[in-house]
Amino acid sequence: MNSNNTDKRKILIADDDDDSRAMLSFLLEEEGWEVKEARNGEEALETVIKEQPDLLILDNRMPKLSGIEVYQQIQAQGIKIAVVLATAHGYLDELASSLGIAHFIAKPYDIPELLKTIESAYTSSFS
């Protein structure tokens, strides 16, 4: 989490689906977030390190590094960031639980549920 950013909350959308990223980016900018995007796991990891976003929406199935691999590398480097794990596959709760990720959402997104999950993850990162 970037505690130095007091002006605008920063979020990274890591998803290889261009349409999904574009939709989320538009939606979250409307909600007041500063949005960064990554098209694959490698970009996601680099952007987390460089931009220090407050929150990461992490798709599990991405090229170069999977969401799981990105999350594990973030943990290994001791980076503190709120994470919302996302996938279109049915084992999401088991996967998130096995990694210790408390916030997750299934794709396709239910927008009110997504916004609620993002706010919950962001708020939890301060406690």
Side-chain angles (χ1 to χ4, degrees):
M1 181 176 64
N2 182 1
S3 60
N4 295 328
N5 184 0
T6 57
D7 297 328
K8 203 167 193 178
R9 301 181 301 174
K10 199 184 301 184
I11 193 165
L12 171 62
I13 302 165
D15 194 322
D16 62 331
D17 184 305
D18 293 339
D19 292 335
S20 183
R21 276 196 331 274
M23 183 274 296
L24 282 181
S25 183
F26 175 79
L27 175 71
L28 294 170
E29 284 174 354
E30 290 293 311
E31 293 290 320
W33 289 86
E34 179 182 334
V35 177
K36 303 292 180 186
E37 296 182 24
R39 295 171 292 182
N40 59 57
E42 195 174 272
E43 270 188 26
L45 189 58
E46 290 170 1
T47 306
V48 164
I49 293 167
K50 182 180 174 192
E51 300 288 337
Q52 300 181 347
D54 299 299
L55 194 140
L56 168 62
I57 297 176
L58 184 60
D59 185 27
N60 188 40
R61 292 204 172 181
M62 293 187 292
K64 298 192 178 178
L65 292 173
S66 71
I68 294 170
E69 292 168 322
V70 170
Y71 183 75
Q72 289 172 335
Q73 290 200 28
I74 288 170
Q75 294 295 301
Q77 294 186 35
I79 297 170
K80 302 294 182 199
I81 183 173
V83 174
V84 174
L85 185 66
T87 188
H89 304 282
Y91 56 87
L92 178 61
D93 53 344
E94 288 177 30
L95 178 63
S97 177
S98 71
L99 294 169
I101 298 174
H103 303 280
F104 51 87
I105 189 146
K107 294 165 85 176
Y109 298 118
D110 173 314
I111 298 304
E113 185 67 26
L114 174 65
L115 294 175
K116 183 177 157 189
T117 302
I118 288 170
E119 287 301 325
S120 178
Y122 181 74
T123 302
S124 295
S125 70
F126 291 108
S127 55

